[in-house]
């Protein structure tokens, strides 16, 4: 049932942050039940969204991963922003410093399982007293430092361009590629989130092909952020592009639990099998 190693892998998100119910994660709340369900449906890996650098009681995650045979694909850092108000581009240097240490801890947490951390909303926004140039400068320095830190732990750091309603730093995948080209580290790779890209890109498949050099992770959701198959994204050419570039990472469902968690998980694995047979 499982795909062979060194190939694309199916992955599903699991959020342990109940206060964010309604957010774009498929499985919720119970680590053990979520991992068992993911394994039962045939997923290869799970991406975790937690309040901080831990998941459940000590060793709980390790034991569940061992029991289910699932791999930890990545850990999200968004709680640093959503729950604690931390971003890498805040005008307050203390907040920027706290954001850095939060992400460093998340990198260390993921690295125990060979999983990269993802920087999405913690990149922040420019505006007010912070110019775009200043914000990008702070982001650049942070990504270099955190990318090098990740490398020392044997993982990469994943930077995610977000759509215009969530950030005003980098909205386009290829602009983010150019930005990464200039960073003096190879510890950072990019996330292609098909929901954000549906809003911003001219041609998602073309952008993935042109920016293949930095691709490290994919968020799998349809145009309306429901599980793939429930919106109007034309997935076939995107899947073709991912195969053509020899992408070997995770196709990770970061989508709403629509109409409910289990149906969303089933729709996701059905779509995954359809497009990546
Ligand atoms: Mn995403």
């Amino acid at each position: 049932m499982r795909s062979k190693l060194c190939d694309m892998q199916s992955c599903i998100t699991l959020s342990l942050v109940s206060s964010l119910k309604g957010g774009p994660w498929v499985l919720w709340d119970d680590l053990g039940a979520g991992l068992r369900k993911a394994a039962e449906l045939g997923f290869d890996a799970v991406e975790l969204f937690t309040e901080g650098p831990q998941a459940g009681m000590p060793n709980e995650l390790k034991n569940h991963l061992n029991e289910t045979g699932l791999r930890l694909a990545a850990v999200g850092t968004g709680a640093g922003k959503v729950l604690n108000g931390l971003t890498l581009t805040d005008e307050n240097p203390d907040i920027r410093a706290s954001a850095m240490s939060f992400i460093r801890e998340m990198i260390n947490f993921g690295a125990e399982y060979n999983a990269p951390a993802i920087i999405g909303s913690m990149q922040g926004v420019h505006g007010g007293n912070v110019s775009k140039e200043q914000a990008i400068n702070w982001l650049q320095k942070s990504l270099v430092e955190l990318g090098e830190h990740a490398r020392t732990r044997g993982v990469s750091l994943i930077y995610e361009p977000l759509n215009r309603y969530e950030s005003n730093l980098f909205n386009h995948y290829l602009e983010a590629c150019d930005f990464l080209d200039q960073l003096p580290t190879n510890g950072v790779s990019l996330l292609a989130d098909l929901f954000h890209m549906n809003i911003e890109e001219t041609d998602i498949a073309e952008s993935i092909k042109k920016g293949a050099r930095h691709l490290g992770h994919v968020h799998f959701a349809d145009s309306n952020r429901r599980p793939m198959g429930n919106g109007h994204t034309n997935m076939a050419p995107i899947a073709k592009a991912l195969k053509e570039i020899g992408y070997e990472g995770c196709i990770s469902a970061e989508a709403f639990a629509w109409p409910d968690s289990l149906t969303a998980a089933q729709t996701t694995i059905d779509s995954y099998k359809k497009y990546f047979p």
Side-chain angles (χ1 to χ4, degrees), residues 47 118 160 162 191 193 196 219 225 254:
E47 175 180 327
I118 297 169
E160 177 171 23
L162 304 174
L191 201 161
D193 181 311
H196 295 303
H219 275 163
R225 220 173 201 179
E254 186 188 60

Side-chain angles (χ1 to χ4, degrees), residues 43 220 228 263-275:
F43 284 96
F220 190 48
M228 186 60 73
T263 310
Q266 184 67 59
T267 305
T268 291
I269 196 71
D270 291 346
S271 284
Y272 179 84
K273 286 176 181 165
K274 175 180 172 189
Y275 292 110

